[in-house]
Each structure stands twice: as structure tokens, then as C-alpha cells.
Amino acid sequence: MKELLSDIELWRARGQRVVLARVVTLAGSGPRDPGAAMAINEASEVVGSVSGGCVEGAVVSEALAVLESGQPRLCTFGYSDDEAFAVGLTCGGTIQIFLEPLE
Amino acid sequence: MERIFSRFAALVARDEPLVVATVIERGGDGAAKELPALGATLLVSPSNGVTGSLGNDLLDAVVARDATAALASGRSVARHYGAAGEARRDELTVFLDVFAPAPRMIIFGAVDFTGALVKVAKILGFHVTVCDARPIFATARRFPDADQVVVAWPQVYLEEVAHTLSERDAVCVLTHDHKFDVPAIVAALATPIGYLGAMGSRRTHAERIERLIEAGVDPARFQEIMAPIGLAIGARSPEETAVAICAEIVARRAGVPAHSLRDATGPLHQSEN
């Protein structure tokens, strides 16, 4: 997250609302370890990443919902047979991402 | 996170080691109990103490203790607790986000291979020190990418910094000169570093082993020395050798089997024909 701080501080200084998304658990195969972080502002600008690009789009949607509600949330992105069309990691792992507003 | 964000940003800007502990899940019938809110945050800094609270003093104390352990490991992790920090309960999940200082690589020997190793080690996130007793070679001008260039005998420098080193740190001995290599290895074996590699052919290392025995090193400890240094990937140039060394460090840190030159036989460099 260190590398995101200058952008987050710039956005906050501009008065933009920001959501911080962090990988908190990883089960099985996955590209990024716990602590990998991404920040999203209310204009849908993005810095950082939480996977190899597989779930970033879905994380942006969740982040905008967090801005709407003002409530943090824990999201799970995985891949199983009965949700083959759901958003997941192509590598077959499951990650949990915690999203929280920094307003 | 929000309440402590400014303080967090200030500490991170100063490169202070710290852990941000955040409540990320409230389990089962949690709503009925007095559980902290989702997103409640505790900031744990060894040098600046604890900021914020998860709403329960006992829970704060247990999380602060676990945060200190996580910091030593250098890895962020999620842990489960009871409402008052009890172990083996899962009313709460707390994410311990670790901001550890960069691991260190100390390279002894200001030689051609050193410049390339500094570059690759920087890509891996190491804080890199180049140390050589010869002032004409150990100059910041020759190693512009190094965080620090020190003119000192290896054993003198290592004794000075030994108390700051941990198993996340690495020492690479590239001098190719027993006069410097032997005291560097003897001193490095007295520290808790996680990787010790020494450059040179199998013949050079066999001679070095003789001298280490003369210096009183217990032969049982020779297995801790990765020599010849690096993975057997056919590296020849300084840059290729730097990749082979750093790949060996990654593999050993991950605990996965990789083909180290040390464990192979025959010459280090394949002949062209």
C-alpha cells in the first residue's frame, strides 16, 4: 500500500472520496499476497492492484457500492464449478478483499 | 483505517515498521455481542506504541502482541479471535497488515559482479549495502544504485550491524579473496541472517573450507553456506549471475527445491562446444 499513499493523499486533498481495497486472505493459487492493495476514487480512478487483473473490474464495482453505502465490506472472489461464470481468478484460487471508505 | 490514516501515512513516510490491524469480519451471532465495528483499526508501531482501539483492552493487547510477531515474519496475515481476544474462537477476524522495513542485502566485495547484483536486489526490494575494505573500489560512484557503500573490513562491519539483522536479510560474499572472504563468512555465521552465499569455483570453495576449519568454524555449519553461489542456470555475465543469486534467495525463502550450484557437480560454466 505504501506506493499508493501519494495518490490517495492527492485525491483526499482534492476532496474526492476514496475506497481502499486490500487482499486479506488467499487460498490456493493466486497472484498477489495478503496486503496487496488498490485504491479507487469517486471518479473511478484506480491505483494499485489486487490480482493479476482478473478481479480488478469487479473490485471497482464493489468500491463504488461501498462509497454509496459508506459501509466497509468483505468480498470473496473465487472459482467453483457451480459458478463458472462468476468473477474469479483464472488460476483457481480464492481471495478475500476488504474494502473500506477513506472519506 | 480512516481515523488513523494520517498518522499511518506519516509513519510510513518515515519508513517506520508498523502493523495496521483491521476488523474485517464479525462472525456468527456477533451482532448480539459487543463486538467492534467492521473496519475498526489499531495501529501498532514498535517505536511509537499503539494508536486507536478495537474497543476492548484485552483484545487490543492480544492483537498488539500478534502484530509484533507478524512484523518479525514480514508477512501480512488474517487472525481469528473471541470478542475479548480469546484464542481458538472466531467471533472476529482481524487483518494484520504488515509494513516491515525492507530486508537487507549486504554484499562484500566491490567487484564487477557487485554492480549487477545491486541492481537485481533493488528490483526485489532489498536495502543494499556494498562493503569492501579497499577505499579505491568501494565508492558510491561505482555503485550508484546501492543504498549504502561502506569502506570497512567485513567482520568489523558485520559486528557493528549484527544486532539489527534478522532471517529476512542476506549476505553475499563476492570478494574471491580468502583474506576478505573467510572473516566475512565467519562473522556472517554469527548473525541470524537467512541467506549466506559465497562466490567462487568449487576449487576456490574447497580451499575456503580448509581456511574456515583453520579459523575454528564448526563443519556442521558449512551447509548454511551457498557456495558456489546461485542457481545452476548457466549464468555467465555479471547480470546473469545476479539473477541466479537472487533466484536462489527467492527459492530458499519460499522453501521450494531449486537446482543450486552448490548441490550440483562439475564446472560452473558449460564449455561452448
Side-chain angles (χ1 to χ4, degrees):
Chain A
M1 180 179 5
K2 275 183 192 178
E3 65 285 1
L4 312 184
L5 285 180
S6 57
D7 284 303
I8 292 174
E9 286 179 321
L10 178 69
W11 290 344
R12 281 161 60 96
R14 280 191 204 145
Q16 286 178 305
R17 295 182 300 155
V18 179
V19 171
L20 177 65
R22 286 179 288 168
V23 176
V24 292
T25 66
L26 166 68
S29 182
R32 301 291 308 269
D33 282 330
M38 176 172 153
I40 303 98
N41 71 14
E42 60 186 77
S44 297
E45 290 179 285
V46 175
V47 289
S49 78
V50 289
S51 75
C54 325
V55 304
E56 271 72 3
V59 172
V60 171
S61 309
E62 292 288 348
L64 296 176
V66 166
L67 277 182
E68 191 79 21
S69 70
Q71 296 301 313
R73 65 173 70 175
L74 182 65
C75 298
T76 302
F77 297 97
Y79 199 90
S80 67
D81 290 341
D82 55 355
E83 50 179 349
F85 296 101
V87 173
L89 300 171
T90 51
C91 41
T94 301
I95 54 172
Q96 283 189 304
I97 294 177
F98 186 71
L99 297 100
E100 61 190 313
L102 298 175
E103 297 193 22
Chain B
M1 185 71 183
E2 177 160 16
R3 285 190 199 160
I4 52 95
F5 188 80
S6 305
R7 179 160 176 77
F8 163 75
L11 290 172
V12 165
R14 300 209 306 259
D15 229 6
E16 294 269 0
L18 59 91
V19 175
V20 178
T22 307
V23 175
I24 58 167
E25 200 169 21
R26 306 161 88 225
D29 58 347
K33 297 202 177 191
E34 297 216 347
L35 290 177
L38 210 54
T41 302
L42 190 69
L43 187 69
V44 182
S45 153
S47 48
N48 296 274
V50 172
T51 309
S53 173
L54 303 182
N56 178 304
D57 290 347
L58 293 170
L59 177 62
D60 286 351
V62 171
V63 169
R65 183 198 65 199
D66 289 353
T68 306
L71 192 56
S73 79
R75 291 191 183 274
S76 300
V77 66
R79 294 211 176 284
H80 304 287
Y81 301 98
E86 300 94 328
R88 293 182 293 279
R89 299 263 290 272
D90 59 358
E91 287 155 358
L92 287 173
T93 308
V94 176
F95 179 55
L96 305 176
D97 202 355
V98 169
F99 297 83
R104 295 191 58 186
M105 180 186 285
I106 300 170
I107 307 172
F108 291 112
V111 298
D112 268 359
F113 287 89
T114 308
L117 182 55
V118 172
K119 284 201 181 88
V120 180
K122 288 304 295 176
I123 290 172
L124 280 187
F126 280 99
H127 174 281
V128 184
T129 300
V130 175
C131 177
D132 195 305
R134 302 163 296 185
I136 55 164
F137 295 128
T139 64
R141 191 186 166 86
R142 291 188 70 207
F143 304 103
D145 300 310
D147 296 286
Q148 199 182 17
V149 179
V150 177
V151 179
W153 277 81
Q155 70 275 30
V156 173
Y157 179 69
L158 272 181
E159 275 161 30
E160 201 175 289
V161 300
H163 68 284
T164 66
L165 299 176
S166 78
E167 64 183 35
R168 299 172 61 230
D169 303 317
V171 168
C172 299
V173 179
L174 307 189
T175 341
H176 265 119
D177 180 337
H178 297 317
K179 178 165 87 246
F180 298 109
D181 288 2
V182 170
I185 291 170
V186 171
L189 285 173
T191 70
I193 53 164
Y195 177 89
L196 170 59
M199 187 173 264
S201 67
R202 296 189 194 286
R203 185 170 141 182
T204 305
H205 189 58
E207 286 173 21
R208 195 154 49 200
I209 287 288
E210 295 298 315
R211 292 176 190 239
L212 287 169
I213 291 170
E214 284 167 23
V217 174
D218 178 357
R221 304 207 59 193
F222 293 159
Q223 59 168 354
E224 295 169 44
I225 309 167
M226 299 310 293
I229 195 170
L231 294 188
I233 58 171
R236 294 191 71 90
S237 69
E239 292 74 18
E240 290 168 354
T241 303
V243 168
I245 294 169
C246 287
E248 183 169 72
I249 292 172
V250 171
R252 291 187 67 80
R253 190 155 61 188
V256 302
H259 194 47
S260 280
L261 280 171
R262 183 189 70 171
D263 304 323
T265 53
L268 305 190
H269 307 296
Q270 303 293 326
S271 58
E272 297 286 317
N273 52 15

